[in-house]
Amino acid sequence: GSAPSSPCRKRRLGDGGALEGSRRCELCGAAGRLRCGRCRLTYYCDVDHQKADWVSIHERICQLLIPIRTSLPFLLSEKERKHGSEQLVKRQKYIIDLAYSTAQEFVLDGKHQEAIPAALHALRFSTDVYGSTSVRLVPAYLLLAEASTGVGRLPEASKYLSQAQWIVLRTPDCSVAVQYKLHRSLGLFCAAEGNFEQALYHLANDIYLASSTFGLKSIEASGGYFHMANVFFRQNKMDVANSLYAEVTDIWHAFLVKSVQAQEQILASRPEMSPFTEDKEVSEDCMTEAQQAEAIRVLNAVLDVRERAPKKQPGETARVLHALAMLYYLILDLPKAREVGMKAFDLVKQLPQQESLGAIGHLLKLINSKPSRTK
């Protein structure tokens, strides 16, 4: 066959004909015809797969793969070999964490296509380190299922979920955290298929497991309520959907109130520090990046539902806006915090009960007292 005419920038064709046939594409396992020109250790069947891997994860792990994929010389002592294999596992674990968190960020941003190569690497390295039946593979399988569902590849998603389910069933002491996430993934998959009854069954299990371990009002349980609300919304059962959306809003609202108070206390105890040095540190004490991304996605989705509803519920809308204002304040997006905070303030002023007016006013003062930083 004819070779591709223009190899990608920063990458080049594999040099030896015999070599190519024995190398496999990093993404699909087909015969590799192209090779990364930087690490010279990864192969691809075509330019599309090379670009997809580069955008998703390869750019970040290209150089990290060199020590992992270069075999140790044979003439080593037992001690050196042991040290070498310990170093190898450390490096592999580092790549697992990096690939998983990168894929998770893409999924939370709705970039499902970009998430897939990174999640595949997380799965592959987890298999190398822990073996193919380890419960530690489940998070990568669930992420692959969610990303595949997001791009409409339901048969692939189903395959990944079956693998995760099989591992969980054969792991007697499997943690609740893994079990509730499996049910959530199964629920989302069934909802994507349009099988709402089955989706609600899995989401009910998700909520039961998460709330029995972390509490009924926990952030962990709120995800199940949110996805269940979406299913009822799609079934046009608006009463149930609305009460579940209100529950989700309340959980995040309470969590964010505590986070803002914690930040205020830290700032009050360290007045000598400049506002720029501590902010990053303080806000990260309160929320993980994954929680920030989840809160942004969930609260904006609930706000969208509230604002489009034919029957307006200004109290509920104001509560979501107040939660979002706290969230944007904590992640230092002050212009947005000010904008939604003012919207919440104006809405509450029109309500018969105005008890949250003081809290929103106080938040707006905090927002305005911070120096705005240009990104």
Side-chain angles (χ1 to χ4, degrees):
S2 61
S5 52
S6 58
C8 259
R9 197 163 56 83
K10 301 199 193 86
R11 312 162 179 83
R12 61 198 65 156
L13 287 167
D15 332 45
L19 193 69
E20 284 172 20
S22 62
R23 308 293 181 175
R24 298 275 157 212
C25 173
E26 198 75 354
L27 292 198
C28 68
R33 295 187 174 81
L34 297 165
R35 180 167 77 168
C36 171
R38 290 187 165 194
C39 66
R40 306 179 72 82
L41 288 164
T42 44
Y43 292 80
Y44 301 96
C45 61
D46 62 18
V47 170
D48 288 345
H49 276 188
Q50 190 164 25
K51 279 183 176 162
D53 193 33
W54 182 261
V55 168
S56 178
I57 189 69
H58 191 72
E59 183 177 12
R60 299 178 72 176
I61 63 171
C62 181
Q63 298 305 300
L64 300 173
L65 291 172
I66 297 171
I68 288 178
R69 292 188 174 170
T70 311
S71 52
L72 290 169
F74 287 119
L75 303 166
L76 292 177
S77 68
E78 185 61 37
K79 194 177 167 189
E80 286 170 323
R81 257 206 303 274
K82 189 167 178 266
H83 176 71
S85 57
E86 282 168 2
Q87 287 301 104
L88 175 67
V89 169
K90 258 189 198 157
R91 290 186 169 119
Q92 287 171 318
K93 285 180 175 174
Y94 179 77
I95 289 187
I96 293 168
D97 290 344
L98 181 62
Y100 181 81
S101 60
T102 302
Q104 195 177 36
E105 264 172 53
F106 279 130
V107 165
L108 287 167
D109 285 346
K111 296 176 178 172
H112 296 103
Q113 190 69 54
E114 287 91 333
I116 291 172
L120 278 170
H121 282 289
L123 177 64
R124 207 168 293 147
F125 280 104
S126 298
T127 307
D128 289 346
V129 174
Y130 304 112
S132 60
T133 60
S134 168
V135 79
R136 288 174 180 259
L137 272 59
V138 171
Y141 275 127
L142 298 184
L143 209 46
L144 279 165
E146 193 175 343
S148 302
T149 302
V151 293
R153 294 190 210 140
L154 294 181
E156 272 178 47
S158 175
K159 199 177 70 188
Y160 292 130
L161 285 169
S162 298
Q163 286 287 346
Q165 221 171 350
W166 178 76
I167 290 173
V168 167
L169 287 172
R170 64 183 300 288
T171 310
D173 53 349
C174 181
S175 76
V176 172
V178 170
Q179 291 180 54
Y180 89 77
K181 284 173 184 162
L182 172 63
H183 279 290
R184 185 169 301 178
S185 297
L186 288 164
L188 290 172
F189 175 75
C190 293
E193 278 193 314
N195 184 346
F196 295 139
E197 289 315 308
Q198 198 60 22
L200 291 171
Y201 163 78
H202 284 299
L203 292 170
N205 274 316
D206 161 13
I207 292 165
Y208 170 74
L209 288 163
S211 58
S212 63
T213 305
F214 301 100
L216 277 166
K217 303 279 182 190
S218 62
I219 295 298
E220 289 81 3
S222 73
Y225 296 130
F226 172 68
H227 295 304
M228 201 177 239
N230 291 340
V231 173
F232 283 121
F233 182 83
R234 284 175 65 186
Q235 288 181 311
N236 215 17
K237 296 179 178 168
M238 289 316 295
D239 286 354
V240 196
N242 277 328
S243 65
L244 284 166
Y245 284 132
E247 184 63 34
V248 172
T249 307
D250 285 348
I251 291 171
W252 277 109
H253 189 280
F255 176 80
L256 290 160
V257 164
K258 277 193 190 137
S259 300
V260 170
Q261 284 169 347
Q263 195 191 49
E264 268 193 280
Q265 280 170 355
I266 293 167
L267 293 179
S269 68
R270 298 191 307 196
E272 74 290 348
M273 291 181 77
S274 101
F276 293 107
T277 47
E278 82 243 314
D279 279 350
K280 187 97 186 113
E281 189 189 321
V282 171
S283 56
E284 284 183 357
D285 278 346
C286 307
M287 289 178 91
T288 66
E289 275 183 25
Q291 282 175 334
Q292 288 173 16
E294 187 185 348
I296 288 170
R297 181 174 72 160
V298 166
L299 291 170
N300 276 303
V302 176
L303 179 64
D304 195 50
V305 169
R306 295 295 183 216
E307 289 184 333
R308 286 167 188 248
K311 197 176 90 185
K312 294 282 175 260
Q313 292 179 288
E316 282 301 332
T317 308
R319 203 158 171 74
V320 188
L321 287 165
H322 182 192
L324 273 168
M326 290 188 280
L327 174 63
Y328 288 130
Y329 166 72
L330 286 166
I331 62 176
L332 301 175
D333 188 341
L334 300 178
K336 236 174 183 162
R338 196 171 292 117
E339 180 198 330
V340 289
M342 287 306 297
K343 259 172 135 175
F345 194 79
D346 293 342
L347 258 183
V348 172
K349 273 203 297 206
Q350 298 159 29
L351 294 174
Q353 280 94 21
Q354 301 188 353
E355 67 270 18
S356 58
L357 206 58
I360 300 170
H362 178 66
L363 177 67
L364 285 167
K365 266 195 200 129
L366 286 178
I367 293 166
N368 290 326
S369 70
K370 275 201 180 236
S372 221
R373 47 179 19 171
T374 48
K375 294 211 165 160

